[in-house]
Amino acid sequence: MCLGAFTMRVKALVIRILRQFKRDKRTMALLIFAPILVLSLLYLVFGDDDYSPSIGLVDFPEEVVESLDLSGAVITIYEEEAAAFGDLDTQDLDAFVTLDDNQPHVTLEGSDPLINSAVLNWMQEAFGSLTGETERQVEATFVHGHEDMRHFDYFGPVLLGFFIFFFVFLISGVSFLRERTRGTLERLLSSPLRKWEIVIGYVIGFGLFTILQASIISAYSIFVLGMMMEGNFFYVLLITLCLSFSALTLGILLSSFAHNELQMIQFIPIVIVPQLFFSGLFNLDTISDWVSWIGRLTPLYYAADALRNVMVRGFGFEHVYIQLLILLGFSVVFVVLNIIVLRQHRKV
Amino acid sequence: MTDSNNVIQVDHVYKSYGKQKVLKGIDLTIKEGEIFGLLGPSGAGKTTLVKQLVGLEEVSSGEVRLLNEKQPSLSLIERIGYMAQSDALYTELSARENLEFFVSLYNLTKHQRKERIKEVMRVVDLEDAMDKVVADYSGGMKRRLSLAISMLHEPVILILDEPTVGMDPILRKSIWESFNALKKRGVTIIVTTHVMDEAEKCDRLGMIREGRLTAVGSPDELKKEADVKNLEAAFLVFGGVHYES
């Protein structure tokens, strides 16, 4: 009977939350369409693979130039390396190629990862046909930047996770904040509803909505924007769902330390944005050692890793379950902290 | 005076937030079926005391007992109805949806729940606005709905923090009639108020000022004790303001 009463109370809470969602169409739209809009914009800005790099060939014998397939790039011929360097500095040139013992060596300006990959792809095609080996790594020197910077496909999974995390955090935090500021939390606490039932009710109510949200956003990114997808779509959903749980429970937790909506928004630069920096959007190897450990404390780090394993590397469950467990672990910790915080309001 | 008659017993209750002392030794007993009014200026500690009665606020020292059980207690929850100063409603939902949500938090059958919703909405005279979204309610309607919700589970003690704010006199009268009806059924009601004519309707009053109960008694007793004709004057006398009649 005790369990029956529990499920009934939690069910009532879940139904109420879903009803509120139904009424608040604007918030519902924000949760689904804002990530879609931002991802689409990012796709439009970064997803263009058709960029033609401008490439200089330095001191190439005429017959070699003849034999190469130079389509897909704007080619300039240089007599001396110094001249090519000059144009590289002024960014009139993306890269130049020299020959050392008949081995092509490319020097890249390097500050834009999109251009880098375009140059390297072009090198593969142009010089692969010369040697007949397509897989051979071209020797490359970067003036700025580094080779690991890649484009939409590579940071897509991170951004997918980030936007789901961001919006679930914000909406759940504000919802719970409102519950406190308009006094309904107090009313809940003066009802037989237990503190942990409140938290669980929120997790289930928002969880149900999040399944819908994560499915739509993931499907849009993968099937409409054509984000790279080597693995199983189901795993993507599983990862985003676990990530949303941690966002949800963290949002509720931090809402206890905000007095109004604006203060909730103030958590974004402190809690949300830093996660983006440490989640693998930027190469973690290049982050100073004394701060790189921060990434391991953030849910997004594990979600991004798992999403990349599935979406880019095509791995299966055995390569994501540890990250999933860690994400659930985060949620459990946040749930426990939430219950402790609610004890401030009522000791029993 | 026997113990069983005392529904509420407050013993030497102190409360401080850091250095700020909010309650400085409150002693109070309230009997079954009483309508007890807490009167005092804002900031006097009324809401703090009320929250301690509900179990939402801890005492720094002392003891709060309801129905012979020490607060905070889970078993008391189902027997207390509480209405805070804020309306505490989900404004994006309809009145019915609000009621359905709160009533399902209590152990009632489906039939009982339906009956209770009907009953409390009849008391506050909102039956016609049942399916209206609460955001479209007027201030007084919200207050009445809030009151209705606090009565959903038929509590034996009703604790109301300024229940009639924003209500017109006619409505206030009808709400007080329902308080008296509840009282006849043995329900104990504690209300905080600023309104003097409302205070007159209480069986007993406690005047609270700067964390202390300065006077406790029936409206007539208080007027007599202060040697003044009306309650407002008594309020000033017990508040330490010299009153020239």
Side-chain angles (χ1 to χ4, degrees), chain A residues 233-250:
Chain A
F233 184 67
F234 172 74
Y235 294 138
V236 173
L237 285 189
L238 203 61
I239 297 162
T240 49
L241 186 65
C242 289
L243 179 66
S244 332
F245 280 152
S246 67
L248 165 69
T249 46
L250 180 64

Side-chain angles (χ1 to χ4, degrees), chain A residues 1 5 8-9 12-13 16 19-20 23 178-179 182-184 186-194 345-348, chain B residues 51 54-56 58 73 77-78 82 84 86-92 94 97 100-102 104-106 113 146 149:
Chain A
M1 191 219 101
M8 202 177 76
R9 289 194 296 259
L13 189 54
R16 194 214 80 211
R19 272 175 168 173
Q20 283 176 295
R23 287 289 154 76
R178 273 198 212 140
E179 193 101 66
R182 64 184 173 187
T184 45
E186 210 169 66
R187 207 195 280 277
L188 294 183
L189 287 168
S190 58
S191 83
L193 201 61
R194 303 291 189 266
H345 294 274
R346 188 178 186 99
K347 286 284 166 193
V348 293
Chain B
K51 280 191 183 176
V54 182
L56 288 171
E58 269 193 298
S73 147
I77 281 177
E78 306 235 7
Y82 170 56
S86 56
D87 290 326
L89 301 165
Y90 298 102
T91 49
E92 60 271 56
S94 71
E97 286 167 333
E100 277 172 355
F101 168 61
F102 284 109
S104 21
L105 301 180
Y106 296 91
R113 278 186 253 163
S146 182
I149 291 170

Side-chain angles (χ1 to χ4, degrees), chain B residues 90-159:
Chain B
Y90 298 102
T91 49
E92 60 271 56
L93 301 181
S94 71
R96 189 189 298 280
E97 286 167 333
N98 270 282
L99 291 158
E100 277 172 355
F101 168 61
F102 284 109
V103 82
S104 21
L105 301 180
Y106 296 91
N107 258 329
L108 298 171
T109 66
K110 210 172 172 180
H111 179 73
Q112 281 174 317
R113 278 186 253 163
K114 255 190 181 153
E115 286 300 303
R116 288 306 301 157
I117 289 177
K118 238 198 229 161
E119 162 74 13
V120 294
M121 286 301 261
R122 195 186 53 73
V123 170
V124 296
D125 195 24
L126 279 177
E127 288 154 299
D128 296 334
M130 190 75 114
D131 290 302
K132 212 170 167 176
V133 173
V134 174
D136 298 333
Y137 267 36
S138 70
M141 286 165 88
K142 283 183 194 159
R143 207 77 202 117
R144 277 140 72 197
L145 179 59
S146 182
L147 179 62
I149 291 170
S150 66
M151 300 189 298
L152 270 174
H153 55 293
E154 288 188 276
V156 295
I157 300 174
L158 205 48
I159 298 170

Side-chain angles (χ1 to χ4, degrees), chain B residues 14 22 31 39 43 46 48 50 54 56 62 85 110 118 132 138 144 147 154 165 167 174 179 186 188 200 216 238 240:
Chain B
Y14 288 80
V22 183
K31 288 193 280 289
L39 206 58
K46 286 184 309 234
T48 304
V50 158
V54 182
L56 288 171
Q85 259 177 38
K110 210 172 172 180
K118 238 198 229 161
K132 212 170 167 176
S138 70
R144 277 140 72 197
L147 179 62
E154 288 188 276
V165 169
M167 290 187 190
S174 85
F179 285 172
T188 310
E200 292 272 11
V216 180
F238 291 113

Side-chain angles (χ1 to χ4, degrees), chain B residues 159-195:
Chain B
I159 298 170
L160 312 167
D161 205 352
E162 311 221 339
T164 55
V165 169
M167 290 187 190
D168 62 77
I170 299 167
L171 195 65
R172 218 159 57 208
K173 188 166 171 281
S174 85
I175 293 287
W176 272 89
E177 276 164 11
S178 53
F179 285 172
N180 281 313
L182 288 168
K183 170 192 157 79
K184 276 192 191 118
R185 284 170 25 199
V187 177
T188 310
I189 301 171
I190 293 103
V191 289
T192 71
T193 182
H194 284 305
V195 192

